[in-house]
Amino acid sequence: MPQAGTSRATMEPAELGLRERKKQRTRRALRMAAIRLVAERGLDGVSVDEIAAAAEVSTRTFFNYFPTKDEAIVGLDPEDIREITEAVSARRADESPLEALREVMLQRAALVAPEQADLWPLRLAIIRRHPHLMAANAASWSSYENALAEAAGRRCGLDPARDPYPAVLVAAVLAVVRTLSVRWQEFPGAPLVEVLGQAFDSLARGLPPPQPHESSRGAAPMTTTDPCTVRPEHEES
Amino acid sequence: MPQAGTSRATMEPAELGLRERKKQRTRRALRMAAIRLVAERGLDGVSVDEIAAAAEVSTRTFFNYFPTKDEAIVGLDPEDIREITEAVSARRADESPLEALREVMLQRAALVAPEQADLWPLRLAIIRRHPHLMAANAASWSSYENALAEAAGRRCGLDPARDPYPAVLVAAVLAVVRTLSVRWQEFPGAPLVEVLGQAFDSLARGLPPPQPHESSRGAAPMTTTDPCTVRPEHEES
DNA sequence: TACAACCTTATAGTCTCTGCATTTATTCAA
DNA sequence: TTGAATAAATGCAGAGACTATAAGGTTGTA
């Protein structure tokens, strides 16, 4: 059983066999070529032919790896999905589902895989330039919404097919992560992890309205972390 | 006086000028043709040519109205966006942003514009059959995430460009609505409005983990009681 | 009526993406 | 080491999505 990964990720597991490793390399090469070229010349300024050429494979091979040009740019690696899902399942059982997701997402945001460190900003720049990619992005995420929802459901003993709670929880969490990831690029004031953390706090409190203080500070915090005046909500204890 | 739009929607405002009305009709005809045909024969069983033919316009004209075949099926009318945004702005000022959004979304879910009443289920059926459309769907929604975020921001006196709160709030809310709308088609046990209402309650409480077996709450938890069998069903292609 | 602005349309072409048959590379077992 | 068995990469042919352009119709206006 694999150690519920904190590291791993950079090294190519030697046990994987030559064929598998080659595939990973090809996929990465294609993605890098796609992102680099598109960041440079715009989405319509680059054809799949050129991307494939840059990665030194045939055009047809490109489509063996990605169903769409868009996916090559914004899609998540299936491996990443597996990692994240596993990480959620591996969290201590006494955490609430929201807490577990929070921690995994924050960790993830903190380490942004080293090889992709330089690609990440390019990706976001591209998305900002071509908003419709945010869709493809969301779509790609939604493909692991299901996986995550299942993991989340298991934590609280719910069948995600029956009870909407896990799906709702995951949808809300991923929406927050996605939104802030994109914003973060535009207003790189505070580190992403911080902004995300505050957003999660807010979410955990039921998204209470923040006070409209005339804040002329450069980086307006999401909400204060002290006992704010939460509006009276119907709650039972 | 707009009356916080409960009606309107079916009548074509006569003041709009012939040209404008014609455009609306064409757009609607194209959308209806697209949804009907695709629901019948599947996404790849219908070409844009056929859709245009069914709506009695040229293929080129189709692309004057929709940038994409997908958009014709899942995209929102700009007019709807305007209506929803206005409805949010029109809510009483003493409601919290979350409450305001909640009410608007519930109202919207309750009345599903009359002309589209029959199209709505078809749309969802199509999305379920072609999961990647959920992306286009989300994308289209995201185009009014901004509008909504701005309206939400105004309510609490925040500049949505500076403070992430409105964006986060809206993203979470729309994620929930989208998720449940899709699920609702698969498990049509409880009325959508009810399921949505429960989800909003949960959101307002900070997404607390539900108890697997104790049904201590009078107000029904999100747990459904229908025994449904489910399988993934990723048809596509 | 005449004019300007805007829609629609046909044509022709580029690009995306798929199916299929062939070739090349990798694994595995003898 | 060799020889299948297996899987991936490639080239090719083709359908369909989408666009640029130019020409022809409609609508709003003077």
Side-chain angles (χ1 to χ4, degrees):
Chain A
M1 292 294 112
Q3 280 283 64
T6 50
S7 64
R8 218 233 91 244
T10 45
M11 333 199 71
E12 298 173 355
E15 86 245 26
L16 260 191
L18 181 53
R19 187 178 280 170
E20 208 56 35
R21 266 177 294 159
K22 228 174 186 173
K23 261 172 72 174
Q24 300 249 2
R25 259 205 306 278
T26 303
R27 167 177 280 268
R28 230 171 266 164
L30 280 170
R31 166 153 291 152
M32 270 174 34
I35 292 179
R36 292 239 161 78
L37 286 175
V38 171
E40 211 173 290
R41 299 192 233 152
L43 194 55
D44 300 329
V46 180
S47 70
V48 171
D49 281 6
E50 296 172 290
I51 296 172
E56 316 218 74
V57 295
S58 76
T59 304
R60 188 64 184 79
T61 295
F62 175 94
F63 288 106
N64 287 339
Y65 281 88
F66 303 99
T68 289
K69 184 162 62 161
D70 294 358
E71 280 273 322
I73 295 163
V74 299
L76 293 163
D77 286 337
E79 200 189 336
D80 287 341
I81 295 180
R82 197 179 45 70
E83 274 178 40
I84 294 176
T85 307
E86 270 176 16
V88 169
S89 299
R91 300 292 304 181
R92 294 216 329 274
D94 58 348
E95 281 179 326
S96 80
L98 180 55
E99 283 165 355
L101 285 173
R102 174 203 160 102
E103 290 311 313
V104 171
M105 291 299 156
L106 288 184
Q107 269 186 24
R108 201 78 195 170
L111 57 77
V112 214
E115 351 115 31
Q116 296 196 358
D118 46 341
L119 258 48
W120 182 251
L122 288 183
R123 234 206 278 241
L124 285 179
I126 294 172
I127 291 178
R128 194 174 39 167
R129 193 185 187 87
H130 305 276
H132 90 264
L133 282 181
M134 216 161 96
N137 195 27
S140 147
W141 289 45
S142 94
S143 81
Y144 85 100
E145 259 193 41
N146 295 336
L148 269 185
E150 194 168 325
R154 251 195 309 273
R155 292 186 74 80
C156 30
L158 295 174
D159 176 3
R162 273 200 183 155
D163 196 301
Y165 175 79
V168 168
L169 170 70
V170 168
V173 166
L174 290 186
V176 169
V177 173
R178 174 171 47 81
T179 301
L180 290 182
S181 296
V182 173
R183 285 180 60 90
W184 171 68
Q185 180 69 6
E186 305 197 44
F187 313 104
L192 177 57
V193 181
E194 227 170 82
V195 182
L196 261 181
Q198 289 165 7
F200 271 107
D201 288 344
S202 177
L203 195 60
R205 280 202 217 95
L207 294 165
Q211 286 77 354
H213 281 293
E214 17 65 63
S215 57
S216 48
R217 310 171 240 284
M222 185 85 182
T223 51
T224 59
T225 40
D226 41 53
C228 59
T229 58
V230 183
R231 314 169 30 81
E233 272 160 347
H234 43 285
E235 57 185 355
E236 87 280 23
S237 61
Chain B
M1 243 135 310
Q3 285 283 56
T6 51
S7 66
R8 215 232 94 246
T10 44
M11 327 200 74
E12 297 171 357
E15 85 245 27
L16 263 190
L18 183 52
R19 190 177 277 170
E20 207 54 34
R21 268 179 291 160
K22 226 173 187 175
K23 263 172 72 175
Q24 299 249 2
R25 260 205 306 280
T26 304
R27 167 178 280 268
R28 228 170 267 164
L30 280 170
R31 165 153 291 152
M32 270 174 36
I35 292 180
R36 291 243 161 77
L37 287 174
V38 170
E40 210 172 289
R41 300 191 232 150
L43 194 55
D44 300 329
V46 181
S47 70
V48 171
D49 281 6
E50 295 172 293
I51 295 172
E56 317 216 76
V57 295
S58 78
T59 305
R60 187 61 183 80
T61 295
F62 175 94
F63 288 107
N64 287 339
Y65 282 88
F66 302 99
T68 289
K69 183 162 62 161
D70 294 358
E71 280 273 322
I73 295 164
V74 299
L76 293 164
D77 285 337
E79 200 188 337
D80 287 341
I81 295 180
R82 197 179 46 70
E83 274 178 40
I84 295 177
T85 306
E86 270 176 15
V88 170
S89 299
R91 299 293 304 182
R92 293 217 326 276
D94 59 347
E95 282 180 325
S96 79
L98 179 56
E99 283 165 355
L101 285 173
R102 173 202 162 103
E103 290 311 314
V104 170
M105 292 297 158
L106 288 184
Q107 268 186 25
R108 201 77 195 171
L111 58 78
V112 217
E115 350 116 31
Q116 296 196 0
D118 45 342
L119 258 48
W120 182 251
L122 287 183
R123 234 205 277 241
L124 285 178
I126 294 172
I127 291 177
R128 190 176 43 170
R129 193 183 187 89
H130 305 277
H132 89 263
L133 282 181
M134 215 160 97
N137 194 27
S140 145
W141 290 44
S142 93
S143 82
Y144 87 97
E145 259 193 40
N146 295 336
L148 268 186
E150 193 167 326
R154 252 196 308 274
R155 291 187 75 80
C156 29
L158 294 175
D159 177 5
R162 272 209 185 146
D163 196 302
Y165 175 80
V168 168
L169 170 70
V170 168
V173 165
L174 290 187
V176 168
V177 173
R178 175 172 44 83
T179 302
L180 288 182
S181 296
V182 172
R183 285 182 61 91
W184 170 68
Q185 180 68 7
E186 304 197 44
F187 314 105
L192 177 57
V193 181
E194 227 170 83
V195 182
L196 262 181
Q198 289 164 10
F200 271 107
D201 287 345
S202 177
L203 195 59
R205 280 202 216 94
L207 294 164
Q211 271 65 19
H213 283 127
E214 315 180 85
S215 60
S216 52
R217 303 197 188 95
M222 284 174 64
T223 324
T224 70
T225 49
D226 304 45
C228 307
T229 355
V230 187
R231 65 218 168 272
E233 184 194 357
H234 276 295
E235 161 77 46
E236 193 82 28
S237 93

